[in-house]
Amino acid sequence: MQSYTIGQAARLLGVSADTARRWADAGRLATHRDDSGRRLVDGRDLAAFSVEVAQGGVGEEDVSYTSARNAFPGIVTAVKLGDVAAQVEIQAGPHRLVSLLTREAVEELGLEVGMQATARVKSTSVHIDRL
């Protein structure tokens, strides 16, 4: 399972690292420490928390969000595989993006819940980049 530093988690949540640290200190964002003492967030925990933040469960009212060049870096919160097609959901700050793509593409990218990914939007198409 992929883990994220507080700074990475903050970027994916669309908040400052200080905000993410305050959430962790308050027990809202589950963290653990690695061997070098860095605070990390498990990918699945971050995915669930990002959905909660987007639904208004936690957060700061004066946080601003922006999307540059139609790229939405975020975290994969759901992957639904069919026989041929697949659906991938990404939570990028307050934005929930859903992409319909082939099962083969999902498997080639190795997409799974908790993984960092970027949704790129052009017209009505959403493309997923694995980081």
Side-chain angles (χ1 to χ4, degrees):
M1 171 52 56
Q2 187 167 352
S3 293
Y4 298 92
T5 64
I6 287 290
Q8 291 170 322
R11 191 169 3 94
L12 293 169
L13 292 167
V15 299
S16 70
D18 287 337
T19 296
R21 281 188 203 92
R22 282 194 300 274
W23 286 342
D25 291 343
R28 294 181 184 167
L29 178 60
T31 63
H32 65 279
R33 297 213 181 251
D34 66 8
D35 294 336
S36 64
R38 291 184 312 161
R39 202 171 351 185
L40 300 176
V41 181
D42 285 330
R44 287 192 183 273
D45 292 338
L46 183 57
F49 188 76
S50 69
V51 171
E52 184 182 347
V53 168
Q55 293 172 344
V58 295
E60 294 182 351
E61 296 164 338
D62 59 343
V63 174
S64 63
Y65 299 95
T66 183
S67 168
R69 293 183 174 183
N70 298 324
F72 295 84
I75 188 165
V76 176
T77 57
V79 176
K80 298 173 187 165
L81 296 174
D83 291 336
V84 176
Q87 178 178 311
V88 176
E89 294 182 24
I90 292 180
Q91 192 70 45
H95 309 289
R96 176 180 165 264
L97 295 109
V98 179
S99 179
L100 301 176
L101 58 163
T102 65
R103 178 187 182 117
E104 180 181 10
V106 171
E107 290 170 349
E108 284 180 9
L109 289 169
L111 295 174
E112 60 184 39
V113 171
M115 175 178 284
Q116 185 176 351
T118 300
R120 298 198 184 272
V121 181
K122 180 176 180 187
S123 185
T124 59
S125 298
V126 177
H127 302 268
I128 306 295
D129 296 342
R130 179 174 175 195
L131 301 177

